[in-house]
Amino acid sequence: MTPPIPPTVPLMDLVAQHAEVADEVRAGVEDVMRRAAFVGGPEVRAFEEAYAQFVGARHCIGVANGTDALELALRAVGVGPGDEVVLPANTFVATAEAVSRIGAVPRPVDVDDERLLLDAEAVAAAVGPRTRAIVPVHLFGRVVPMEPVEAVAAAHGLRVVEDAAQAQGAHRAGRSAGALGDAAATSFYPGKNLGAAGDAGAVTTGDEEVAARVRLLAAHGSPRKYVHDVVGMNSRLDTVQAVVLSAKLRRLARWNELRREASRRYDALLADVAGVRLSPGDPEATDVQHLYVVRVPHRDRVWASLREAGVEAGVHYPTPVHLTGAYRHLGLGPGSFPVAERAAGEILSLPLFPQITEAQQERVAACLARALRDVGAASGSSAAAVAAR
Ligand SMILES: *Cc1c(COP(=O)(O)O)cnc(C)c1O
């Protein structure tokens, strides 16, 4: 008889997450179905109000997904065709896509080597006559230090739109991600810290005019039935998704705390593993560990070795925006943004979710240590050399 195969450690566990809200969601969804009230309604309003309060923003507008949220937020603050928008080179491609869909031009810049977040000096250097806005991305649940970004924005009259898709509940220096700029976009894609049962997103803002503009643009440019003032789009938060999101929002603060606990446990487990480079925390920030990202030498071989050992890791993201096929036309070849490019070859996202167990984390750490020893031995190179540089 073959021995039992040990279960894999998943990158995230949405089944375990759903189990915590299943009864509440079932009752709420059945109610929506019974009334056949699929669009709008009190469920959407209730979620928007609860999320606005959670973020500490005056307004929240639910939309169809995070990419729409970015596009709508950018348009609402005045970004139009031909404008340039500065954003980090290492982000999910949607950050740039939203800019392109407006007919504006994404202007990627390099990031800081420690936290891999937008570098304000690089932003300042990229500002030109066509620059209209900056998009700080709170990547991995790490909050971008906003003061220097705000200083650049103020000096050049630029708008700031946060990409807060990975930072629901994160805060820094007493202010919440999602309430740090002129507007913010977030995504409730199922794998985010707050995830729907499908696609959903939201714009948050403290600016009443921006909020009204987002609502107008998201609803076919229609301030009231049969009237269409501008060319808008159709981007709605579905009622069923609002039910799911409200149920999960009530657990989000605790889930984020569990992510931070798990993250601290990894920090301890990996502290002495040769070759692993951990990200330093920001003493001013309370991150939400959307992803637990380490840097390792020979990343692809380490990644494959983990997979063979039943540990599902990820890479977010293997190709910086400027090196994707979609953005080749920007003409920014390899070497344009050395920090982001080098990091793209070293980063590895380890399994992390609120329900992860200590035993699972110990197994991940042990497998990672073994993988690093193996690749180090095979190549004859010192893993510590990468860690130290
Ligand atoms: C998920 C994500 C988006 C896009 O959100 P969708 O809901 O998938 O459209 C944008 N930016 C970042 C950083 C993301 O992680």
Side-chain angles (χ1 to χ4, degrees), residues 118-121 123-124 134 144-155 172:
L118 190 70
D119 177 351
E121 277 178 36
V123 174
I134 305 169
V144 175
M146 293 296 285
E147 300 83 356
V149 176
E150 283 159 357
V152 177
R172 188 178 180 283

Side-chain angles (χ1 to χ4, degrees), residues 65-67 70 91-92 94-95 137 163 165-166 187 189 192 200 317:
N65 58 69
T67 313
L70 274 166
T91 181
F92 183 53
T95 315
V137 181
D163 181 338
Q166 300 191 1
S187 162
Y189 179 78
K192 309 295 192 197
Y317 298 90

Side-chain angles (χ1 to χ4, degrees), residues 114-202:
E114 295 296 333
R115 301 250 297 164
L116 302 177
L117 299 176
L118 190 70
D119 177 351
E121 277 178 36
V123 174
V127 172
R130 315 208 63 137
T131 310
R132 184 95 180 117
I134 305 169
V135 181
V137 181
H138 306 303
L139 201 68
F140 311 146
R142 302 174 184 171
V143 188
V144 175
M146 293 296 285
E147 300 83 356
V149 176
E150 283 159 357
V152 177
H156 300 276
L158 309 176
R159 310 304 302 263
V160 176
V161 172
E162 304 166 75
D163 181 338
Q166 300 191 1
Q168 292 131 356
H171 45 99
R172 188 178 180 283
R175 298 158 71 200
S176 285
L180 299 173
D182 294 300
T186 198
S187 162
F188 304 122
Y189 179 78
K192 309 295 192 197
N193 288 33
L194 178 60
D199 281 306

Side-chain angles (χ1 to χ4, degrees), residues 209-378:
E209 262 176 56
V210 170
R213 186 91 184 146
V214 170
R215 283 203 191 278
L216 183 75
L217 289 168
H220 301 294
S222 175
R224 58 190 180 280
K225 201 164 176 138
Y226 304 127
V227 177
H228 303 277
D229 288 343
V230 292
V231 179
M233 56 201 269
N234 171 19
S235 190
R236 279 191 269 261
L237 173 66
D238 288 332
T239 309
V240 163
Q241 300 302 353
V243 167
V244 174
L245 290 168
S246 285
K248 290 191 181 176
L249 181 58
R250 284 189 273 280
R251 278 110 177 146
L252 184 57
R254 188 171 52 83
W255 285 346
N256 281 343
E257 188 48 47
L258 290 171
R259 283 175 185 272
R260 282 189 288 270
E261 263 172 41
S263 179
R264 284 192 292 270
R265 198 178 298 136
Y266 269 141
D267 286 347
L269 287 166
L270 298 172
D272 299 323
V273 176
V276 180
R277 179 172 169 187
L278 304 179
S279 167
D282 172 345
E284 298 230 51
T286 306
D287 298 335
V288 289
Q289 272 74 21
H290 172 61
L291 294 165
Y292 185 86
V293 177
V294 297
R295 290 161 75 174
V296 295
H298 310 296
R299 194 269 322 281
D300 285 342
R301 285 164 56 204
V302 171
W303 192 11
S305 161
L306 286 178
R307 199 177 308 122
E308 271 165 39
V311 171
E312 201 187 286
V315 173
H316 302 87
Y317 298 90
T319 311
V321 168
H322 64 290
L323 299 180
T324 61
Y327 286 103
R328 196 171 299 138
H329 65 272
L330 294 178
L332 298 162
S336 299
F337 306 116
V339 177
E341 288 169 30
R342 196 178 70 217
E346 298 175 350
I347 47 175
L348 192 63
S349 310
L350 302 183
L352 185 86
F353 45 93
Q355 299 81 6
I356 195 168
T357 65
E358 219 169 312
Q360 284 176 312
Q361 290 193 269
E362 281 163 7
R363 182 167 152 208
V364 172
C367 289
L368 181 60
R370 186 167 353 103
L372 280 161
R373 265 199 315 273
D374 291 352
V375 298

